Amino acid sequence: MSDQHRDTVEIRDESIRLGQLLKLAGLVEDGAQAREVVAEGYVTVNGETVTQRGRQVRPGDVVGFAGAVLEVVSAG
């Protein structure tokens, strides 16, 4: 992953659900699509495949999906 460009996504709270993060970043159109891609195992958090869209992600976590690599950062 170190060779890939990372974008950052700012969150206001201490954590955000994975499905919400995917929507916030514009990687999925809605919650139904988020549920589908996570359930199918297409999303990683810190290099590990995640199948629970309710998984909490926090600043410092790195989320991967469809070639995008996102680093979660705090807005505050």
Side-chain angles (χ1 to χ4, degrees):
M1 248 195 249
S2 59
D3 292 343
Q4 292 179 314
H5 172 73
R6 286 186 187 177
D7 289 319
T8 58
V9 178
E10 291 186 354
I11 62 170
R12 292 187 309 260
D13 299 321
E14 291 181 15
S15 65
I16 187 172
R17 288 189 189 121
L18 182 57
Q20 291 174 324
L21 180 79
L22 294 174
K23 289 189 297 184
L24 177 66
L27 296 178
V28 297
E29 293 182 13
D30 55 31
Q33 187 179 16
R35 178 174 52 248
E36 183 177 321
V37 299
V38 173
E40 293 294 323
Y42 295 128
V43 181
T44 62
V45 176
N46 300 327
E48 296 184 19
T49 300
V50 175
T51 56
Q52 299 172 328
R53 87 180 155 128
R55 157 90 185 257
Q56 296 290 316
V57 291
R58 294 170 170 72
D61 285 341
V62 176
V63 176
F65 171 65
V69 179
L70 306 171
E71 183 172 357
V72 181
V73 297
S74 176

Coordinates of all heavy atoms in Angstrom, one line a residue:
M1 N 0.8 -1.2 0.0 CA 0.0 0.0 0.0 C 0.8 1.3 0.0 O 0.4 2.3 -0.3 CB -0.9 0.0 1.2 CG -2.3 -0.1 0.9 SD -3.4 0.3 2.2 CE -4.1 -1.3 2.6
S2 N 2.1 1.2 0.4 CA 2.9 2.4 0.5 C 3.2 3.0 -0.9 O 3.5 4.2 -0.9 CB 4.2 2.0 1.1 OG 4.9 1.0 0.4
D3 N 3.0 2.3 -2.0 CA 3.2 2.8 -3.3 C 2.0 3.6 -3.8 O 2.1 4.3 -4.8 CB 3.6 1.7 -4.3 CG 5.0 1.2 -4.0 OD1 5.8 1.8 -3.2 OD2 5.3 0.1 -4.5
Q4 N 0.8 3.4 -3.2 CA -0.4 4.0 -3.7 C -0.6 5.4 -3.1 O -0.1 5.6 -2.0 CB -1.6 3.1 -3.3 CG -1.6 1.8 -4.1 CD -2.8 1.0 -3.6 OE1 -3.1 0.8 -2.5 NE2 -3.5 0.4 -4.6
H5 N -1.2 6.2 -3.8 CA -1.6 7.5 -3.3 C -2.7 7.4 -2.3 O -3.7 6.7 -2.6 CB -2.0 8.4 -4.5 CG -2.6 9.7 -4.0 ND1 -1.8 10.7 -3.5 CD2 -3.8 10.2 -4.0 CE1 -2.5 11.8 -3.2 NE2 -3.8 11.5 -3.5
R6 N -2.6 8.1 -1.2 CA -3.6 8.1 -0.2 C -4.3 9.4 -0.2 O -3.7 10.5 -0.1 CB -3.0 7.9 1.2 CG -2.6 6.5 1.5 CD -2.2 6.3 2.9 NE -1.6 5.0 3.1 CZ -1.1 4.6 4.3 NH1 -1.1 5.5 5.3 NH2 -0.6 3.4 4.4
D7 N -5.6 9.4 -0.2 CA -6.4 10.6 0.0 C -6.8 10.6 1.5 O -6.8 9.5 2.2 CB -7.7 10.5 -0.8 CG -7.4 10.7 -2.3 OD1 -6.6 11.6 -2.6 OD2 -8.0 10.0 -3.1
T8 N -7.2 11.7 2.0 CA -7.6 11.8 3.4 C -9.1 12.1 3.4 O -9.6 12.8 2.6 CB -6.8 12.9 4.2 OG1 -7.0 14.1 3.6 CG2 -5.3 12.5 4.3
V9 N -9.7 11.6 4.5 CA -11.1 11.9 4.7 C -11.2 12.4 6.2 O -10.8 11.7 7.1 CB -12.0 10.6 4.5 CG1 -13.5 11.0 4.9 CG2 -11.9 10.1 3.1
E10 N -11.7 13.6 6.3 CA -11.8 14.2 7.7 C -13.2 13.8 8.3 O -14.2 13.8 7.7 CB -11.8 15.7 7.6 CG -10.4 16.2 7.2 CD -10.4 17.8 7.3 OE1 -11.4 18.4 7.6 OE2 -9.3 18.3 7.1
I11 N -13.1 13.4 9.6 CA -14.3 13.1 10.3 C -14.3 14.0 11.5 O -13.3 14.4 12.1 CB -14.4 11.6 10.8 CG1 -13.3 11.2 11.7 CG2 -14.5 10.7 9.5 CD1 -13.4 9.8 12.3
R12 N -15.5 14.4 12.0 CA -15.7 15.4 13.1 C -15.7 14.7 14.4 O -15.2 15.2 15.4 CB -17.0 16.1 12.9 CG -17.1 17.1 11.8 CD -18.3 17.9 11.8 NE -19.5 17.1 11.9 CZ -20.3 16.7 11.0 NH1 -20.1 17.2 9.7 NH2 -21.4 16.0 11.2
D13 N -16.2 13.4 14.5 CA -16.2 12.7 15.7 C -15.0 11.8 15.9 O -14.2 11.7 15.1 CB -17.5 11.9 15.8 CG -18.8 12.8 15.7 OD1 -18.8 13.9 16.3 OD2 -19.7 12.4 15.0
E14 N -15.0 11.1 17.0 CA -13.9 10.1 17.3 C -13.9 9.0 16.4 O -12.8 8.4 16.2 CB -14.0 9.6 18.8 CG -13.8 10.7 19.8 CD -13.9 10.1 21.2 OE1 -13.8 8.9 21.4 OE2 -14.0 10.9 22.2
S15 N -15.1 8.6 15.8 CA -15.1 7.5 14.9 C -16.3 7.7 14.0 O -17.2 8.5 14.2 CB -15.3 6.2 15.7 OG -16.5 6.1 16.4
I16 N -16.4 6.8 12.9 CA -17.5 6.8 12.0 C -17.6 5.4 11.5 O -16.7 4.6 11.5 CB -17.1 7.8 10.8 CG1 -18.3 7.9 9.9 CG2 -15.9 7.3 10.0 CD1 -18.2 9.0 8.8
R17 N -18.9 5.0 11.2 CA -19.1 3.7 10.7 C -18.5 3.6 9.3 O -18.6 4.5 8.5 CB -20.6 3.4 10.6 CG -21.2 3.2 12.0 CD -22.6 2.7 11.9 NE -23.2 2.7 13.2 CZ -24.3 3.4 13.5 NH1 -24.9 4.1 12.6 NH2 -24.8 3.4 14.7
L18 N -18.1 2.4 8.9 CA -17.4 2.2 7.7 C -18.3 2.5 6.5 O -17.9 3.2 5.5 CB -17.0 0.7 7.6 CG -16.3 0.3 6.3 CD1 -15.0 1.1 6.1 CD2 -15.9 -1.2 6.4
G19 N -19.6 2.1 6.5 CA -20.5 2.5 5.5 C -20.7 4.0 5.3 O -20.8 4.5 4.2
Q20 N -20.8 4.7 6.4 CA -20.9 6.1 6.3 C -19.6 6.8 5.7 O -19.7 7.7 5.0 CB -21.1 6.7 7.7 CG -22.5 6.4 8.3 CD -22.7 6.9 9.7 OE1 -21.7 6.8 10.5 NE2 -23.9 7.3 10.1
L21 N -18.5 6.2 6.1 CA -17.2 6.8 5.5 C -17.2 6.6 4.0 O -16.8 7.5 3.3 CB -16.0 6.1 6.2 CG -14.7 6.6 5.6 CD1 -14.3 7.9 6.3 CD2 -13.6 5.6 5.9
L22 N -17.6 5.4 3.5 CA -17.6 5.2 2.1 C -18.5 6.2 1.4 O -18.2 6.7 0.3 CB -18.1 3.7 1.8 CG -17.1 2.6 2.3 CD1 -17.7 1.3 2.0 CD2 -15.8 2.7 1.6
K23 N -19.7 6.5 2.0 CA -20.6 7.5 1.4 C -20.0 8.9 1.5 O -20.0 9.6 0.5 CB -21.9 7.5 2.1 CG -22.8 6.3 1.8 CD -24.2 6.4 2.4 CE -24.2 6.5 3.9 NZ -25.5 6.5 4.4
L24 N -19.4 9.2 2.6 CA -18.8 10.6 2.8 C -17.7 10.8 1.8 O -17.5 11.9 1.2 CB -18.2 10.7 4.2 CG -17.4 11.9 4.6 CD1 -18.4 13.1 4.5 CD2 -16.8 11.8 5.9
A25 N -16.9 9.7 1.5 CA -15.8 9.8 0.5 C -16.2 9.8 -0.9 O -15.4 10.0 -1.8 CB -14.8 8.7 0.8
G26 N -17.5 9.5 -1.1 CA -18.0 9.5 -2.5 C -17.7 8.2 -3.2 O -17.8 8.1 -4.5
L27 N -17.3 7.1 -2.5 CA -17.0 5.9 -3.1 C -18.2 5.0 -3.4 O -18.1 4.1 -4.3 CB -16.0 5.1 -2.3 CG -14.6 5.8 -2.1 CD1 -13.8 4.9 -1.1 CD2 -13.9 6.0 -3.4
V28 N -19.3 5.2 -2.7 CA -20.6 4.6 -3.0 C -21.7 5.6 -3.0 O -21.5 6.7 -2.5 CB -20.9 3.5 -1.9 CG1 -19.8 2.4 -2.0 CG2 -21.0 4.1 -0.5
E29 N -22.8 5.3 -3.7 CA -23.9 6.2 -3.8 C -24.8 6.3 -2.6 O -25.3 7.3 -2.2 CB -24.7 5.9 -5.0 CG -23.9 6.1 -6.3 CD -24.8 5.8 -7.5 OE1 -26.0 5.7 -7.4 OE2 -24.2 5.7 -8.6
D30 N -25.0 5.1 -1.9 CA -25.9 5.1 -0.8 C -25.6 3.9 0.2 O -24.6 3.2 -0.1 CB -27.3 5.0 -1.3 CG -27.6 3.8 -2.2 OD1 -26.9 2.7 -2.1 OD2 -28.4 3.9 -3.1
G31 N -26.4 3.9 1.2 CA -26.2 2.8 2.2 C -26.3 1.4 1.7 O -25.6 0.5 2.1
A32 N -27.2 1.2 0.7 CA -27.4 -0.1 0.2 C -26.2 -0.6 -0.6 O -25.8 -1.7 -0.4 CB -28.7 -0.1 -0.8
Q33 N -25.6 0.3 -1.3 CA -24.4 0.0 -2.1 C -23.2 -0.2 -1.1 O -22.4 -1.2 -1.3 CB -24.0 1.1 -3.1 CG -22.9 0.7 -4.0 CD -22.5 1.7 -5.0 OE1 -22.9 2.9 -4.9 NE2 -21.7 1.3 -6.0
A34 N -23.2 0.6 -0.1 CA -22.1 0.4 1.0 C -22.2 -1.0 1.6 O -21.3 -1.7 1.8 CB -22.2 1.5 2.0
R35 N -23.5 -1.4 2.0 CA -23.7 -2.7 2.6 C -23.3 -3.8 1.7 O -22.6 -4.8 2.1 CB -25.2 -2.8 2.9 CG -25.6 -4.1 3.5 CD -27.0 -4.2 4.0 NE -28.0 -3.8 2.9 CZ -28.7 -2.7 3.0 NH1 -28.6 -1.8 4.0 NH2 -29.6 -2.4 2.0
E36 N -23.6 -3.7 0.4 CA -23.2 -4.7 -0.6 C -21.7 -4.9 -0.8 O -21.2 -6.0 -0.7 CB -23.9 -4.4 -1.9 CG -23.7 -5.4 -3.0 CD -24.4 -5.1 -4.3 OE1 -25.5 -4.6 -4.2 OE2 -23.8 -5.3 -5.3
V37 N -21.0 -3.8 -1.0 CA -19.6 -3.9 -1.2 C -18.8 -4.4 0.0 O -17.8 -5.1 -0.1 CB -18.9 -2.6 -1.8 CG1 -19.6 -2.3 -3.1 CG2 -19.0 -1.5 -0.8
V38 N -19.3 -4.0 1.2 CA -18.6 -4.4 2.4 C -18.9 -5.9 2.6 O -18.0 -6.7 2.9 CB -19.1 -3.6 3.6 CG1 -18.5 -4.2 4.9 CG2 -18.6 -2.2 3.5
A39 N -20.2 -6.3 2.5 CA -20.6 -7.7 2.7 C -19.9 -8.6 1.8 O -19.6 -9.8 2.1 CB -22.1 -7.8 2.6
E40 N -19.6 -8.2 0.5 CA -18.9 -9.0 -0.5 C -17.4 -9.1 -0.2 O -16.7 -9.8 -0.9 CB -19.2 -8.5 -1.9 CG -20.7 -8.6 -2.3 CD -21.1 -10.1 -2.4 OE1 -20.3 -10.9 -2.9 OE2 -22.2 -10.4 -2.1
G41 N -16.9 -8.3 0.8 CA -15.5 -8.4 1.1 C -14.6 -7.6 0.2 O -13.4 -7.8 0.1
Y42 N -15.1 -6.5 -0.4 CA -14.3 -5.6 -1.3 C -13.6 -4.5 -0.5 O -12.9 -3.7 -1.1 CB -15.2 -5.0 -2.3 CG -15.8 -6.0 -3.3 CD1 -17.2 -6.0 -3.5 CD2 -15.0 -6.9 -3.9 CE1 -17.7 -7.0 -4.4 CE2 -15.6 -7.9 -4.8 CZ -16.9 -7.9 -5.0 OH -17.5 -8.8 -5.9
V43 N -13.8 -4.4 0.8 CA -13.3 -3.2 1.5 C -12.3 -3.7 2.6 O -12.5 -4.8 3.2 CB -14.4 -2.5 2.2 CG1 -13.9 -1.3 3.0 CG2 -15.5 -2.0 1.2
T44 N -11.2 -3.0 2.7 CA -10.2 -3.3 3.8 C -10.1 -2.2 4.7 O -10.3 -1.0 4.3 CB -8.8 -3.7 3.2 OG1 -8.3 -2.5 2.5 CG2 -8.9 -4.9 2.2
V45 N -9.7 -2.5 6.0 CA -9.4 -1.5 7.0 C -8.0 -1.9 7.5 O -7.9 -3.1 8.0 CB -10.4 -1.4 8.1 CG1 -10.0 -0.4 9.2 CG2 -11.8 -1.0 7.5
N46 N -7.1 -1.1 7.4 CA -5.7 -1.4 7.8 C -5.2 -2.7 7.2 O -4.5 -3.5 7.9 CB -5.6 -1.4 9.4 CG -6.0 0.0 10.0 OD1 -5.8 1.0 9.4 ND2 -6.7 -0.1 11.1
G47 N -5.5 -2.9 6.0 CA -5.0 -4.1 5.3 C -5.8 -5.4 5.5 O -5.5 -6.4 4.9
E48 N -6.8 -5.4 6.3 CA -7.6 -6.6 6.6 C -9.0 -6.4 6.0 O -9.6 -5.4 6.2 CB -7.7 -6.8 8.1 CG -6.4 -7.1 8.8 CD -6.5 -7.4 10.2 OE1 -7.7 -7.8 10.7 OE2 -5.5 -7.3 10.9
T49 N -9.5 -7.5 5.3 CA -10.8 -7.4 4.8 C -11.9 -7.3 5.9 O -11.8 -8.1 6.9 CB -11.1 -8.7 3.9 OG1 -10.1 -8.8 2.9 CG2 -12.5 -8.7 3.3
V50 N -12.8 -6.5 5.7 CA -13.9 -6.2 6.7 C -15.2 -6.5 6.0 O -15.4 -6.1 4.8 CB -13.9 -4.8 7.2 CG1 -15.0 -4.5 8.1 CG2 -12.5 -4.5 7.9
T51 N -16.1 -7.2 6.7 CA -17.4 -7.5 6.1 C -18.6 -7.0 6.9 O -19.7 -7.3 6.7 CB -17.6 -9.1 6.0 OG1 -17.4 -9.7 7.3 CG2 -16.6 -9.7 5.0
Q52 N -18.3 -6.1 7.9 CA -19.3 -5.5 8.7 C -19.3 -4.0 8.4 O -18.3 -3.3 8.8 CB -19.0 -5.7 10.2 CG -19.0 -7.2 10.6 CD -18.6 -7.3 12.0 OE1 -17.8 -6.6 12.5 NE2 -19.1 -8.4 12.7
R53 N -20.3 -3.5 7.8 CA -20.3 -2.1 7.4 C -20.5 -1.2 8.7 O -20.2 0.0 8.6 CB -21.4 -1.7 6.4 CG -22.7 -1.4 6.9 CD -23.7 -1.2 5.8 NE -25.0 -1.5 6.4 CZ -26.0 -0.6 6.3 NH1 -25.9 0.5 5.7 NH2 -27.1 -1.0 6.9
G54 N -20.9 -1.7 9.8 CA -21.0 -1.0 11.0 C -19.7 -0.8 11.8 O -19.7 -0.2 12.8
R55 N -18.7 -1.4 11.2 CA -17.4 -1.4 11.9 C -17.0 0.1 12.0 O -17.1 0.9 11.1 CB -16.3 -2.1 11.0 CG -14.9 -1.7 11.1 CD -14.2 -2.5 12.2 NE -12.9 -2.1 12.4 CZ -11.8 -2.6 11.9 NH1 -11.9 -3.7 11.2 NH2 -10.6 -2.1 12.2
Q56 N -16.5 0.5 13.2 CA -16.1 1.8 13.5 C -14.7 2.0 13.0 O -13.8 1.2 13.3 CB -16.1 2.1 15.0 CG -17.5 2.0 15.6 CD -18.4 3.2 15.2 OE1 -18.0 4.3 15.1 NE2 -19.7 2.9 14.8
V57 N -14.5 3.1 12.3 CA -13.1 3.5 11.9 C -12.8 4.8 12.5 O -13.6 5.6 12.8 CB -12.9 3.6 10.3 CG1 -13.0 2.2 9.7 CG2 -14.0 4.5 9.7
R58 N -11.5 5.0 12.8 CA -11.0 6.1 13.6 C -9.9 6.8 12.9 O -9.3 6.2 12.0 CB -10.6 5.6 15.0 CG -11.7 5.1 15.8 CD -11.3 4.4 17.1 NE -12.4 4.1 18.0 CZ -13.3 3.2 17.8 NH1 -13.2 2.5 16.7 NH2 -14.3 3.0 18.7
P59 N -9.6 8.0 13.3 CA -8.4 8.7 12.7 C -7.2 7.8 12.8 O -6.9 7.1 13.8 CB -8.2 10.0 13.6 CG -9.7 10.3 14.0 CD -10.3 8.9 14.2
G60 N -6.4 7.7 11.7 CA -5.3 6.9 11.6 C -5.5 5.6 10.9 O -4.6 4.9 10.4
D61 N -6.8 5.2 10.8 CA -7.1 4.0 10.1 C -7.0 4.3 8.6 O -7.2 5.4 8.1 CB -8.6 3.5 10.4 CG -8.7 2.9 11.7 OD1 -7.7 2.4 12.3 OD2 -9.9 2.8 12.2
V62 N -6.7 3.2 7.8 CA -6.6 3.3 6.4 C -7.6 2.4 5.7 O -7.6 1.2 6.0 CB -5.1 3.0 5.9 CG1 -5.0 3.0 4.4 CG2 -4.1 3.9 6.5
V63 N -8.4 2.9 4.9 CA -9.5 2.1 4.3 C -9.2 2.0 2.8 O -8.9 3.0 2.1 CB -10.9 2.8 4.5 CG1 -12.0 2.1 3.7 CG2 -11.2 2.9 6.0
G64 N -9.4 0.8 2.2 CA -9.1 0.6 0.8 C -10.4 0.0 0.2 O -11.1 -0.8 0.7
F65 N -10.7 0.6 -1.0 CA -11.8 0.1 -1.8 C -11.7 0.5 -3.2 O -11.4 1.7 -3.5 CB -13.2 0.6 -1.2 CG -14.3 0.3 -2.1 CD1 -14.7 -1.0 -2.4 CD2 -15.0 1.3 -2.7 CE1 -15.8 -1.3 -3.2 CE2 -16.1 1.0 -3.6 CZ -16.5 -0.3 -3.8
A66 N -11.8 -0.4 -4.2 CA -11.9 -0.1 -5.6 C -10.7 0.7 -6.1 O -10.8 1.6 -6.8 CB -13.2 0.6 -6.0
G67 N -9.5 0.4 -5.5 CA -8.3 1.1 -5.9 C -8.0 2.4 -5.2 O -7.0 2.9 -5.3
A68 N -9.0 2.8 -4.4 CA -8.8 4.0 -3.6 C -8.3 3.6 -2.2 O -8.6 2.6 -1.7 CB -10.1 4.7 -3.4
V69 N -7.4 4.5 -1.7 CA -6.8 4.3 -0.4 C -7.1 5.6 0.4 O -6.6 6.6 0.0 CB -5.3 4.0 -0.4 CG1 -4.8 3.8 1.0 CG2 -5.0 2.7 -1.3
L70 N -7.8 5.5 1.5 CA -8.2 6.6 2.2 C -7.7 6.6 3.7 O -7.8 5.5 4.3 CB -9.8 6.7 2.4 CG -10.6 6.6 1.1 CD1 -12.0 6.5 1.4 CD2 -10.3 7.9 0.3
E71 N -7.1 7.6 4.1 CA -6.6 7.7 5.5 C -7.6 8.6 6.2 O -7.9 9.7 5.8 CB -5.2 8.3 5.6 CG -4.7 8.3 7.0 CD -3.3 8.8 7.1 OE1 -2.6 9.0 6.1 OE2 -2.8 8.9 8.3
V72 N -8.1 8.1 7.3 CA -9.1 8.8 8.1 C -8.3 9.7 9.1 O -7.4 9.3 9.7 CB -10.0 7.8 9.0 CG1 -11.0 8.6 9.8 CG2 -10.6 6.8 8.1
V73 N -8.7 11.0 9.0 CA -8.1 12.0 9.9 C -9.2 12.8 10.6 O -10.3 12.9 10.2 CB -7.2 13.0 9.1 CG1 -6.1 12.3 8.4 CG2 -8.0 13.8 8.0
S74 N -8.7 13.4 11.7 CA -9.7 14.2 12.6 C -9.8 15.6 12.0 O -8.8 16.2 11.6 CB -9.1 14.2 14.0 OG -10.0 15.1 14.8
A75 N -11.0 16.1 11.9 CA -11.2 17.4 11.4 C -10.8 18.5 12.5 O -10.7 19.6 12.2 CB -12.7 17.6 11.0
G76 N -10.7 18.0 13.7 CA -10.4 19.0 14.8 C -9.1 19.0 15.3 O -8.0 19.0 15.2

